[in-house]
Amino acid sequence: MAYSQDTIKPKTPEIAAKKNPLDIGELKINLNPKGDKWLKFSVSSQIWLRNIENNPGTAVNSIPQQETYDAGMRRMRLTIQSQITPFYTVFIQVGANNQNFISGGGSGTGTNGAGKKAAFFFHDAYNELAIVPRNNFQTGQLNKNNIYMGVGLHSWNGVSRMTNGSTTKMLAGDLPIFNFPTIEIADQFSRQFGVFVHGEFNRLNYRFSVNKPFATNIKPSIGGGAVDNNQNGKLSFAGYTYYQFFNKEITATSFLAGNNLAVKKILNVGAGFYTNKNATLTQPKENVFESHNASIFGTDIYSEIPVGNQKKEMGLTLYSVFYHYNYGPNYLRTSGIMNPGTADPDFTGQKALEGAGNNRFLMGTGNIFFTQAGFVLPKFSKILKVQPFFSYALKDLKALHEKGSYYDVGANFFLYGQNAKIVAQYSSRPIYDAVSKIIFDRKGEFLLGLYIVL
């Protein structure tokens, strides 16, 4: 199949495989006859159609609204990878995200309104050097141990597999987002500037980085929870390793698949971390400030198991992860993807602590357990393949007085392998009372997603 930002494939015997009848080839330009200098391209698009049950007290375009229909661009990406020499590569990814009729664009109204002209920016931009390559450049023989080093704006992240998750090989309609511990706060769409190293020691795959987090300077309220404020500018440290018991995965880019349709037997067990000294700030008394370290740890397991008759192409995909987050006392974050809502100033009913629209509590100081599973149904068509899935998150956050359960249920309809699919999904989230901080309601969201990658 065609590569994407997470499936760019080096030309080596290590990944030689039986030709997929749906393979549409690579978007690749060789720069010399030998083929060891090249440019590769990838284009991906994710369009969402949704029906959202809004949180209590929501206004959309200044009109009170309990339910909202919308269409939007979740992700649109262009990826370029260049191998200048067999030892040196450049990786660039640009794109736009989260644009719908009212969010993700410019400010104000009129020509450059709130939903118009979404920002198109660099997601990744780094250079990488092969210290010990995966394959010997002269003989083509596999090196069991390899190591690569790079520098730039990158997503060779720590903590978990899903913190390094591919957005073109997801099991559900989207990643849960709390897998990115500093998303759009101390990072740029889960990327930071820094130096990274990655590679393999036989079956142990590893990645580590030292980065300079993006600056934050939110001012804490007196007696309130910790907020993002890293004004003294300390470095962050991150790492993730996983052991591969069966088939090995190729990590030519940082992105790890969450769904390979269980075509090969995989069992990986991993663990990782992210730390940043003095990342947050509290104000326990007026004009008395205390800094707090951010420390996030995760451990996970990922498995893909082909099932039954090989000709039926059935398979089970499983993933589970446990996160422990410590951002300081009562740190709490909310998020609503492409949120169409704002607070209704005239609302007098029971208010949601999360705020308006489809906001939910994303993460905070505390623990989160997440698990998901999908099963590829027996083959019944040369074109269509169906994979029902389910995911569940249990969030135990210190700033709240009750644990919250979040779930998604749906199915993937693959029309051309993973190059083209449609996702149908229903998601349910709890709603917390603004005063008692306990759950008083639940709201849902229907998603129909159209995904293309070339």
Side-chain angles (χ1 to χ4, degrees), residues 93-124:
Q93 184 177 188
V94 295
N97 309 279
N98 298 332
Q99 183 187 20
N100 67 2
F101 71 101
I102 200 170
S103 69
S107 60
T109 59
T111 302
N112 190 24
K116 302 172 186 175
K117 300 181 180 179
F120 190 81
F121 64 94
F122 282 94
H123 291 64
D124 302 89

mmCIF file of all heavy atoms in Angstrom, residues 93-124:
data_model
loop_
_atom_site.group_PDB
_atom_site.id
_atom_site.type_symbol
_atom_site.label_atom_id
_atom_site.label_comp_id
_atom_site.label_asym_id
_atom_site.label_seq_id
_atom_site.Cartn_x
_atom_site.Cartn_y
_atom_site.Cartn_z
ATOM 1 N N GLN A 93 6.743 17.599 7.660
ATOM 2 C CA GLN A 93 5.292 17.406 7.561
ATOM 3 C C GLN A 93 4.603 18.744 7.825
ATOM 4 O O GLN A 93 4.896 19.407 8.825
ATOM 5 C CB GLN A 93 4.799 16.368 8.568
ATOM 6 C CG GLN A 93 3.308 16.096 8.415
ATOM 7 C CD GLN A 93 2.795 15.018 9.351
ATOM 8 O OE1 GLN A 93 1.648 14.598 9.239
ATOM 9 N NE2 GLN A 93 3.616 14.554 10.270
ATOM 10 N N VAL A 94 3.741 19.139 6.902
ATOM 11 C CA VAL A 94 2.988 20.378 7.051
ATOM 12 C C VAL A 94 1.508 20.067 6.908
ATOM 13 O O VAL A 94 1.121 19.038 6.335
ATOM 14 C CB VAL A 94 3.406 21.441 6.009
ATOM 15 C CG1 VAL A 94 4.846 21.870 6.222
ATOM 16 C CG2 VAL A 94 3.226 20.909 4.586
ATOM 17 N N GLY A 95 0.670 20.954 7.423
ATOM 18 C CA GLY A 95 -0.753 20.709 7.287
ATOM 19 C C GLY A 95 -1.590 21.644 8.132
ATOM 20 O O GLY A 95 -1.092 22.586 8.748
ATOM 21 N N ALA A 96 -2.890 21.361 8.152
ATOM 22 C CA ALA A 96 -3.856 22.123 8.935
ATOM 23 C C ALA A 96 -4.751 21.141 9.681
ATOM 24 O O ALA A 96 -4.876 19.972 9.296
ATOM 25 C CB ALA A 96 -4.692 23.022 8.023
ATOM 26 N N ASN A 97 -5.376 21.611 10.756
ATOM 27 C CA ASN A 97 -6.190 20.748 11.609
ATOM 28 C C ASN A 97 -7.401 21.507 12.149
ATOM 29 O O ASN A 97 -7.382 22.735 12.273
ATOM 30 C CB ASN A 97 -5.367 20.262 12.815
ATOM 31 C CG ASN A 97 -4.043 19.668 12.429
ATOM 32 O OD1 ASN A 97 -3.953 18.516 12.038
ATOM 33 N ND2 ASN A 97 -2.984 20.461 12.530
ATOM 34 N N ASN A 98 -8.430 20.739 12.475
ATOM 35 C CA ASN A 98 -9.526 21.212 13.332
ATOM 36 C C ASN A 98 -10.248 22.447 12.812
ATOM 37 O O ASN A 98 -10.466 23.420 13.538
ATOM 38 C CB ASN A 98 -8.989 21.484 14.744
ATOM 39 C CG ASN A 98 -8.435 20.243 15.404
ATOM 40 O OD1 ASN A 98 -8.864 19.132 15.108
ATOM 41 N ND2 ASN A 98 -7.476 20.420 16.284
ATOM 42 N N GLN A 99 -10.656 22.400 11.568
ATOM 43 C CA GLN A 99 -11.421 23.515 10.998
ATOM 44 C C GLN A 99 -12.855 23.082 10.726
ATOM 45 O O GLN A 99 -13.088 22.104 10.019
ATOM 46 C CB GLN A 99 -10.773 24.010 9.703
ATOM 47 C CG GLN A 99 -11.496 25.218 9.103
ATOM 48 C CD GLN A 99 -10.967 25.609 7.738
ATOM 49 O OE1 GLN A 99 -10.340 24.798 7.067
ATOM 50 N NE2 GLN A 99 -11.227 26.830 7.326
ATOM 51 N N ASN A 100 -13.801 23.795 11.308
ATOM 52 C CA ASN A 100 -15.195 23.597 10.928
ATOM 53 C C ASN A 100 -15.830 24.962 10.675
ATOM 54 O O ASN A 100 -15.119 25.943 10.447
ATOM 55 C CB ASN A 100 -15.959 22.779 11.973
ATOM 56 C CG ASN A 100 -16.130 23.500 13.300
ATOM 57 O OD1 ASN A 100 -15.716 24.637 13.484
ATOM 58 N ND2 ASN A 100 -16.745 22.817 14.251
ATOM 59 N N PHE A 101 -17.147 25.056 10.729
ATOM 60 C CA PHE A 101 -17.823 26.292 10.321
ATOM 61 C C PHE A 101 -17.592 27.459 11.277
ATOM 62 O O PHE A 101 -17.845 28.610 10.930
ATOM 63 C CB PHE A 101 -19.332 26.040 10.184
ATOM 64 C CG PHE A 101 -20.034 25.843 11.508
ATOM 65 C CD1 PHE A 101 -20.752 26.878 12.087
ATOM 66 C CD2 PHE A 101 -19.979 24.628 12.171
ATOM 67 C CE1 PHE A 101 -21.408 26.698 13.291
ATOM 68 C CE2 PHE A 101 -20.622 24.437 13.376
ATOM 69 C CZ PHE A 101 -21.335 25.480 13.943
ATOM 70 N N ILE A 102 -17.062 27.175 12.474
ATOM 71 C CA ILE A 102 -16.968 28.249 13.466
ATOM 72 C C ILE A 102 -15.665 28.236 14.250
ATOM 73 O O ILE A 102 -15.366 29.165 14.992
ATOM 74 C CB ILE A 102 -18.170 28.152 14.448
ATOM 75 C CG1 ILE A 102 -18.403 29.487 15.161
ATOM 76 C CG2 ILE A 102 -17.978 27.011 15.436
ATOM 77 C CD1 ILE A 102 -19.704 29.537 15.938
ATOM 78 N N SER A 103 -14.861 27.191 14.083
ATOM 79 C CA SER A 103 -13.622 27.111 14.849
ATOM 80 C C SER A 103 -12.452 26.701 13.960
ATOM 81 O O SER A 103 -12.637 26.132 12.888
ATOM 82 C CB SER A 103 -13.749 26.095 16.005
ATOM 83 O OG SER A 103 -13.830 24.784 15.490
ATOM 84 N N GLY A 104 -11.248 27.004 14.428
ATOM 85 C CA GLY A 104 -10.039 26.577 13.735
ATOM 86 C C GLY A 104 -9.486 27.573 12.750
ATOM 87 O O GLY A 104 -8.448 27.332 12.127
ATOM 88 N N GLY A 105 -10.154 28.709 12.569
ATOM 89 C CA GLY A 105 -9.686 29.695 11.608
ATOM 90 C C GLY A 105 -9.250 30.986 12.255
ATOM 91 O O GLY A 105 -8.700 30.987 13.357
ATOM 92 N N GLY A 106 -9.514 32.077 11.582
ATOM 93 C CA GLY A 106 -9.111 33.380 12.089
ATOM 94 C C GLY A 106 -10.072 33.891 13.151
ATOM 95 O O GLY A 106 -11.066 33.254 13.492
ATOM 96 N N SER A 107 -9.783 35.068 13.666
ATOM 97 C CA SER A 107 -10.630 35.673 14.685
ATOM 98 C C SER A 107 -11.598 36.659 14.033
ATOM 99 O O SER A 107 -11.413 37.098 12.907
ATOM 100 C CB SER A 107 -9.762 36.395 15.722
ATOM 101 O OG SER A 107 -9.005 37.407 15.090
ATOM 102 N N GLY A 108 -12.648 36.994 14.755
ATOM 103 C CA GLY A 108 -13.604 37.973 14.260
ATOM 104 C C GLY A 108 -14.591 37.372 13.280
ATOM 105 O O GLY A 108 -14.813 36.172 13.245
ATOM 106 N N THR A 109 -15.201 38.220 12.469
ATOM 107 C CA THR A 109 -16.193 37.769 11.505
ATOM 108 C C THR A 109 -15.833 38.300 10.128
ATOM 109 O O THR A 109 -14.841 38.979 9.944
ATOM 110 C CB THR A 109 -17.590 38.275 11.900
ATOM 111 O OG1 THR A 109 -17.567 39.699 11.947
ATOM 112 C CG2 THR A 109 -18.011 37.726 13.249
ATOM 113 N N GLY A 110 -16.671 37.972 9.145
ATOM 114 C CA GLY A 110 -16.436 38.477 7.793
ATOM 115 C C GLY A 110 -15.447 37.621 7.027
ATOM 116 O O GLY A 110 -15.420 36.403 7.162
ATOM 117 N N THR A 111 -14.612 38.252 6.197
ATOM 118 C CA THR A 111 -13.712 37.527 5.291
ATOM 119 C C THR A 111 -12.832 36.536 6.028
ATOM 120 O O THR A 111 -12.643 35.400 5.596
ATOM 121 C CB THR A 111 -12.825 38.533 4.528
ATOM 122 O OG1 THR A 111 -13.667 39.441 3.819
ATOM 123 C CG2 THR A 111 -11.941 37.805 3.532
ATOM 124 N N ASN A 112 -12.268 36.946 7.151
ATOM 125 C CA ASN A 112 -11.401 36.065 7.935
ATOM 126 C C ASN A 112 -12.109 35.719 9.238
ATOM 127 O O ASN A 112 -11.695 36.120 10.316
ATOM 128 C CB ASN A 112 -10.051 36.748 8.198
ATOM 129 C CG ASN A 112 -9.034 35.791 8.786
ATOM 130 O OD1 ASN A 112 -9.130 34.591 8.603
ATOM 131 N ND2 ASN A 112 -8.065 36.335 9.486
ATOM 132 N N GLY A 113 -13.189 34.963 9.133
ATOM 133 C CA GLY A 113 -14.024 34.650 10.282
ATOM 134 C C GLY A 113 -13.459 33.538 11.135
ATOM 135 O O GLY A 113 -12.409 32.976 10.854
ATOM 136 N N ALA A 114 -14.218 33.206 12.196
ATOM 137 C CA ALA A 114 -13.735 32.256 13.194
ATOM 138 C C ALA A 114 -13.459 30.874 12.619
ATOM 139 O O ALA A 114 -12.646 30.137 13.148
ATOM 140 C CB ALA A 114 -14.747 32.154 14.331
ATOM 141 N N GLY A 115 -14.144 30.493 11.559
ATOM 142 C CA GLY A 115 -13.925 29.171 10.977
ATOM 143 C C GLY A 115 -13.171 29.181 9.670
ATOM 144 O O GLY A 115 -12.995 28.131 9.044
ATOM 145 N N LYS A 116 -12.704 30.357 9.236
ATOM 146 C CA LYS A 116 -12.110 30.475 7.904
ATOM 147 C C LYS A 116 -10.594 30.570 7.956
ATOM 148 O O LYS A 116 -10.024 31.073 8.913
ATOM 149 C CB LYS A 116 -12.671 31.705 7.185
ATOM 150 C CG LYS A 116 -14.180 31.689 7.027
ATOM 151 C CD LYS A 116 -14.684 33.017 6.491
ATOM 152 C CE LYS A 116 -16.215 33.053 6.465
ATOM 153 N NZ LYS A 116 -16.707 34.373 6.056
ATOM 154 N N LYS A 117 -9.946 30.114 6.883
ATOM 155 C CA LYS A 117 -8.508 30.267 6.690
ATOM 156 C C LYS A 117 -7.715 29.674 7.845
ATOM 157 O O LYS A 117 -6.953 30.351 8.539
ATOM 158 C CB LYS A 117 -8.148 31.743 6.480
ATOM 159 C CG LYS A 117 -8.844 32.337 5.256
ATOM 160 C CD LYS A 117 -8.468 33.776 5.031
ATOM 161 C CE LYS A 117 -9.191 34.329 3.797
ATOM 162 N NZ LYS A 117 -8.877 35.755 3.552
ATOM 163 N N ALA A 118 -7.885 28.376 8.038
ATOM 164 C CA ALA A 118 -7.184 27.681 9.113
ATOM 165 C C ALA A 118 -5.676 27.760 8.917
ATOM 166 O O ALA A 118 -5.183 27.795 7.791
ATOM 167 C CB ALA A 118 -7.625 26.217 9.156
ATOM 168 N N ALA A 119 -4.945 27.759 10.029
ATOM 169 C CA ALA A 119 -3.485 27.858 9.971
ATOM 170 C C ALA A 119 -2.881 26.617 9.326
ATOM 171 O O ALA A 119 -3.238 25.482 9.647
ATOM 172 C CB ALA A 119 -2.935 28.034 11.376
ATOM 173 N N PHE A 120 -1.943 26.846 8.393
ATOM 174 C CA PHE A 120 -1.193 25.788 7.729
ATOM 175 C C PHE A 120 0.237 25.904 8.235
ATOM 176 O O PHE A 120 0.895 26.914 7.988
ATOM 177 C CB PHE A 120 -1.258 25.989 6.210
ATOM 178 C CG PHE A 120 -0.715 24.844 5.398
ATOM 179 C CD1 PHE A 120 -1.486 23.728 5.155
ATOM 180 C CD2 PHE A 120 0.576 24.891 4.868
ATOM 181 C CE1 PHE A 120 -1.001 22.668 4.398
ATOM 182 C CE2 PHE A 120 1.067 23.844 4.111
ATOM 183 C CZ PHE A 120 0.275 22.730 3.872
ATOM 184 N N PHE A 121 0.722 24.895 8.989
ATOM 185 C CA PHE A 121 1.988 25.070 9.692
ATOM 186 C C PHE A 121 2.811 23.779 9.669
ATOM 187 O O PHE A 121 2.315 22.701 9.316
ATOM 188 C CB PHE A 121 1.732 25.511 11.140
ATOM 189 C CG PHE A 121 0.999 24.481 11.973
ATOM 190 C CD1 PHE A 121 1.692 23.570 12.753
ATOM 191 C CD2 PHE A 121 -0.381 24.438 11.981
ATOM 192 C CE1 PHE A 121 1.027 22.630 13.522
ATOM 193 C CE2 PHE A 121 -1.075 23.502 12.744
ATOM 194 C CZ PHE A 121 -0.358 22.590 13.513
ATOM 195 N N PHE A 122 4.072 23.897 10.090
ATOM 196 C CA PHE A 122 4.950 22.740 10.176
ATOM 197 C C PHE A 122 4.577 21.905 11.402
ATOM 198 O O PHE A 122 4.514 22.413 12.516
ATOM 199 C CB PHE A 122 6.415 23.175 10.284
ATOM 200 C CG PHE A 122 7.022 23.606 8.978
ATOM 201 C CD1 PHE A 122 7.038 24.946 8.613
ATOM 202 C CD2 PHE A 122 7.569 22.669 8.104
ATOM 203 C CE1 PHE A 122 7.586 25.347 7.412
ATOM 204 C CE2 PHE A 122 8.114 23.066 6.898
ATOM 205 C CZ PHE A 122 8.134 24.400 6.542
ATOM 206 N N HIS A 123 4.358 20.626 11.166
ATOM 207 C CA HIS A 123 4.172 19.685 12.260
ATOM 208 C C HIS A 123 5.527 19.071 12.641
ATOM 209 O O HIS A 123 5.869 19.006 13.811
ATOM 210 C CB HIS A 123 3.188 18.585 11.866
ATOM 211 C CG HIS A 123 1.781 19.063 11.712
ATOM 212 N ND1 HIS A 123 1.399 19.976 10.750
ATOM 213 C CD2 HIS A 123 0.657 18.766 12.395
ATOM 214 C CE1 HIS A 123 0.110 20.215 10.854
ATOM 215 N NE2 HIS A 123 -0.372 19.492 11.854
ATOM 216 N N ASP A 124 6.243 18.578 11.643
ATOM 217 C CA ASP A 124 7.579 18.006 11.853
ATOM 218 C C ASP A 124 8.553 18.698 10.910
ATOM 219 O O ASP A 124 8.208 19.008 9.763
ATOM 220 C CB ASP A 124 7.599 16.501 11.547
ATOM 221 C CG ASP A 124 6.619 15.710 12.388
ATOM 222 O OD1 ASP A 124 5.455 15.558 11.972
ATOM 223 O OD2 ASP A 124 7.025 15.237 13.460
#
